[in-house]
Amino acid sequence: MEIVSADVAIVGAGGAGLRAAIAIAQSDPSLKVALISKVYPMRSHTVAAEGGAAGVIRAEDSLEHHFNDTVSGGDWLTDQDAVELFIEDAPRQLTQLEHWGCPWSRTPEGRVNTRPFGGMKIERTWFAADKSGFHILHTLFQTSIQFESIERYDEFYATDLIVEDGHCRGVVAIEMRSGRVFLFHAKSVIVASGGAGRIFPFTTNGAIKTGDGMAMAYRIGVPLKDMEFVQYHPTGLPGTGILLTEGCRGEGGIMVNKDGYRYLQDYGLGPPDPWPRKKAMELGPRDRLSQAFWHEQQKGNCVSTTYGDAVLLDMRHLGEKKINERLPFVRDLASSYMGKDPVHEPVPVRPVVHYMMGGIHTNIDAATPIPGLFAAGECACVSINGANRLGSNSLTELLVFGQRAGLGAAEVARQVADGTPAGVETQGREAEARILGLFDREDVGESVAGVRNAMTASMEEGAGIYRTEEAMQATCDLIGQLRERVAKVPVKDKSKVFNTDLMGVLELEAMLDISQTVVHSAIVRKESRGSHQRLDFEKRDDEAFLKHSLATYRGADVPEISYCDVVITKSQPAERLYGGAAEAAAKEAKEGGSGEGKAA
Ligand SMILES: Cc1cc2nc3c(=O)[nH]c(=O)nc-3n(C[C@H](O)[C@H](O)[C@H](O)COP(=O)(O)OP(=O)(O)OC[C@H]3O[C@@H](n4cnc5c(N)ncnc54)[C@H](O)[C@@H]3O)c2cc1C
């Protein structure tokens, strides 16, 4: 086992990990940072983000509006102190990116341009054409390489976090090109390992999004918070799951069913407003739009494609010039993967698993309950996303909480004495022995693909857009069995160099742990809120469930589910209203007094 000493070890070099690394290097160049990533940083999923990042910048907007959109969009399950901090810091972070070289798209006058986004009632999404994530990640990456104190460990697969005397002191990782096991001994650790969409069969998420970091934190006793909330994005390409950004609708694209009818008006999101449309309908929040698809499907109003039912995203009226300028990547994707050029034809789309609202339980400073361990980005749950994240809040979240995680971890590292406690190395060797032990498993007929396919199919069945007790129970039972089966999956490839068979087993173990937290948290939440919709409990129940769920690891047993309070500072739970209903309520509130929280 190789031993590397660093002050701070970071697992993940996507947007959150890079932002954290830069924050540490800027605040204290004497701190040595080990930046560990299972892929080259520019291949992290942040690169795939298309639409943009939210932050108040326009004169007609305000922090209060961004706060209200985020809190109501999250169906009041957001922690409002975290949201306040987030929306205030957002414009600063996005401007900082501009100063580091991010080429935000401009208005003709040369100002930063914005586009409307779902659930945001005023447009505030900064964008760089429809390649925003690429430009953001590139900006962070090129900034990070200026700092000598950041040492990169690309293509290292982290497997374990090490806790000694109650303090997180390191990370175990496999160097993929050699198969050697490394112990990164550190004074503090940040997990910034992204989401876990791959636990579902149909997802926008890249193949690397297997929830490894969430599982690592969970196994050392950090609860995973609000895991039942899984976001479906309404416009994925059937077959591949490739995303067509919400920017398509932000720029004016409309959704129609097989009869050419704008069906969203039937689901509390209408009426269709006149062009240029800025409110509701297609710009409703993702949970509502995905649920509307489900109902259209039940009514037989979908078009059928080789890959199942779909509705149509029509952008033809935007014209070729605008599509080429604002949505060039979308045109490319729809043409290449569906054979549909949006300039000339509507594009079939259907809901696709996109984002985990839940994740590693942290406080507002990105600190987990284990001293020395921080988490930021999609793997973490602060929580600003509650029961349903608004599009374009995530990229900004990486920056705001990535920086906070970096500053917090740097502070801890300064307080910890030099030297490696003996127990850290012992634990490292135990982890190494466990990894090597995987090669000794007998082949009893189990395979990664067999177990993984059973898991993903069952997750869609039990924890999809609409859920029932019966289907969730079947998924709970099956995931329990699959966790037993995964322990019998052999590593057939015995070589050391880029052993993807070995990674497949490790990723599958992580995905099963994560799947189990999702479905066990879901089955005990007997209400419908945001992305968690139950056919057997259709109403939101604030009395019983205005709480964050916490799933705690119990080894071979099922997770223990407990709850903690939601922080409410100024917006009391109210009905989520969009479109005409929201406007009517806002008018009534203005004429008749307070109406606080309503129609936020
Ligand atoms: C197609 C798509 C489009 C999106 N568009 C938008 C958008 O327009 N606006 C918006 O706000 N949000 C968008 N999102 C969401 C947003 O992009 C993600 O939530 C965000 O980029 C996640 O960033 P992250 O830094 O947390 O993780 P990632 O960028 O996923 O990075 C994770 C890092 O962790 C590393 N890692 C993981 N496991 C291990 C391991 N075991 N060992 C070592 N390293 C590991 C990876 O190598 C990687 O470097 C989109 C998401 C997708 C999938």
Side-chain angles (χ1 to χ4, degrees), residues 304-319:
S304 45
T305 74
T306 322
Y307 306 105
D309 289 342
V311 285
L312 297 169
L313 174 61
D314 194 348
M315 292 173 269
R316 286 173 296 178
H317 51 288
L318 303 182

Side-chain angles (χ1 to χ4, degrees), residues 37 63 66 71 129 162 172-173 196 231 254 278 347 352 394 403-404 408-409 427 436 442 495 513 517 532 536 567 583:
S37 172
L63 295 179
H66 194 182
V71 171
I162 293 195
V172 175
Q231 176 161 81
I254 57 172
K278 299 271 190 209
V347 184
V352 53
S394 171
Q403 183 190 32
R404 282 179 95 74
Q427 287 195 49
L436 297 177
E442 265 176 58
S495 71
D513 283 355
T517 64
H532 173 70
D536 46 356
V567 179
E583 276 163 30

Side-chain angles (χ1 to χ4, degrees), residues 198-199 447-457 482 504 508 511-512:
R198 284 275 155 174
I199 61 175
S447 69
V448 170
V451 175
R452 190 186 55 217
N453 290 345
M455 170 192 73
T456 56
L482 294 177
L508 186 57
M511 287 195 284
L512 281 163

Side-chain angles (χ1 to χ4, degrees), residues 10-19 35-54 115 117 125-126 130 132-133 136-137 140 153 155-160 171-174 176 191-195 203-206 208-214 216 231 233 241-247 286 329 353-356 376-380 389-398 506-507 510:
I10 304 178
V11 179
L18 286 171
R19 186 65 190 87
L35 185 58
I36 305 160
S37 172
K38 72 174 172 179
V39 294
Y40 186 72
M42 277 307 296
R43 299 187 65 204
S44 305
H45 190 75
T46 301
V47 79
E50 300 166 19
R115 64 165 42 126
F117 238 63
T125 299
W126 304 34
D130 57 358
S132 308
I136 290 174
L137 193 62
L140 290 169
Y153 296 87
E155 300 184 332
F156 276 67
Y157 183 95
T159 58
D160 295 84
V171 179
V172 175
I174 305 165
M176 290 159 71
V191 179
S193 56
T203 172
T204 62
N205 285 197
I208 59 170
K209 296 191 73 170
T210 48
D212 310 342
M214 289 182 189
M216 277 160 35
Q231 176 161 81
H233 191 297
I242 290 172
L243 178 78
L244 292 194
T245 170
E246 203 158 89
R286 292 173 179 179
F329 191 37
V353 167
H354 185 56
Y355 184 87
M356 308 291 293
E378 190 172 339
C379 70
R389 171 178 75 92
L390 293 192
S392 73
N393 267 353
S394 171
L395 289 173
T396 314
E397 178 180 1
L398 309 179
L506 293 166
E507 287 178 341

Side-chain angles (χ1 to χ4, degrees), residues 219-524:
R219 290 176 194 144
I220 58 163
V222 182
L224 298 184
K225 186 161 74 189
D226 292 341
M227 290 302 284
E228 61 272 42
F229 298 99
V230 176
Q231 176 161 81
Y232 276 76
H233 191 297
T235 58
L237 294 181
T240 58
I242 290 172
L243 178 78
L244 292 194
T245 170
E246 203 158 89
C248 299
R249 286 167 284 130
E251 297 296 347
I254 57 172
M255 307 277 294
V256 296
N257 64 17
K258 74 173 180 1
D259 303 317
Y261 174 67
R262 287 176 70 188
Y263 60 91
L264 292 171
Q265 59 194 292
D266 296 348
Y267 301 97
L269 296 162
D273 48 1
W275 187 259
R277 184 174 37 77
K278 299 271 190 209
K279 296 181 188 125
M281 283 290 283
E282 284 80 3
L283 287 174
R286 292 173 179 179
D287 55 343
R288 293 281 173 86
L289 263 69
S290 298
Q291 289 149 21
F293 169 87
W294 185 90
H295 289 288
E296 287 295 292
Q297 193 177 30
Q298 304 296 308
K299 292 179 193 166
N301 288 343
C302 289
V303 295
S304 45
T305 74
T306 322
Y307 306 105
D309 289 342
V311 285
L312 297 169
L313 174 61
D314 194 348
M315 292 173 269
R316 286 173 296 178
H317 51 288
L318 303 182
E320 186 164 12
K321 185 165 174 284
K322 186 160 182 183
I323 290 178
N324 282 347
E325 182 200 318
R326 298 287 181 87
L327 303 165
F329 191 37
V330 164
R331 187 175 185 189
D332 191 14
L333 291 171
S335 305
S336 306
Y337 290 93
M338 292 302 294
K340 303 279 181 200
D341 181 347
V343 171
H344 304 294
E345 283 172 288
V347 184
V349 290
R350 58 157 279 198
V352 53
V353 167
H354 185 56
Y355 184 87
M356 308 291 293
M357 266 70 74
I360 302 167
H361 177 37
T362 73
N363 66 14
I364 199 164
D365 295 317
T368 74
I370 294 191
L373 182 65
F374 295 78
E378 190 172 339
C379 70
C381 182
V382 177
S383 100
I384 64 153
N385 299 310
N388 170 61
R389 171 178 75 92
L390 293 192
S392 73
N393 267 353
S394 171
L395 289 173
T396 314
E397 178 180 1
L398 309 179
L399 305 169
V400 172
F401 293 98
Q403 183 190 32
R404 282 179 95 74
L407 295 177
E411 185 57 36
V412 170
R414 276 190 290 270
Q415 288 161 11
V416 173
D418 286 339
T420 314
V424 173
E425 206 176 309
T426 312
Q427 287 195 49
R429 294 208 181 279
E430 283 165 7
E432 181 184 34
R434 191 182 79 84
I435 294 163
L436 297 177
L438 296 175
F439 288 95
D440 300 332
R441 282 184 184 167
E442 265 176 58
D443 187 352
V444 290
E446 293 290 3
S447 69
V448 170
V451 175
R452 190 186 55 217
N453 290 345
M455 170 192 73
T456 56
S458 179
M459 287 303 286
E460 183 161 81
E461 196 61 34
I465 297 178
Y466 278 96
R467 302 166 173 184
T468 62
E469 179 88 14
E470 206 187 351
M472 281 187 282
Q473 189 57 56
T475 301
C476 286
D477 296 345
L478 185 80
I479 299 292
Q481 293 159 16
L482 294 177
R483 282 184 82 218
E484 287 169 19
R485 280 173 58 188
V486 76
K488 297 184 196 136
V489 174
V491 179
K492 290 187 190 155
D493 178 357
K494 306 293 179 198
S495 71
K496 296 277 184 228
V497 178
F498 282 109
N499 189 333
T500 50
D501 199 18
L502 172 64
M503 303 309 151
V505 173
L506 293 166
E507 287 178 341
L508 186 57
E509 287 179 350
M511 287 195 284
L512 281 163
D513 283 355
I514 301 305
S515 298
Q516 199 171 38
T517 64
V518 171
V519 68
H520 279 268
S521 304
I523 199 166
V524 291

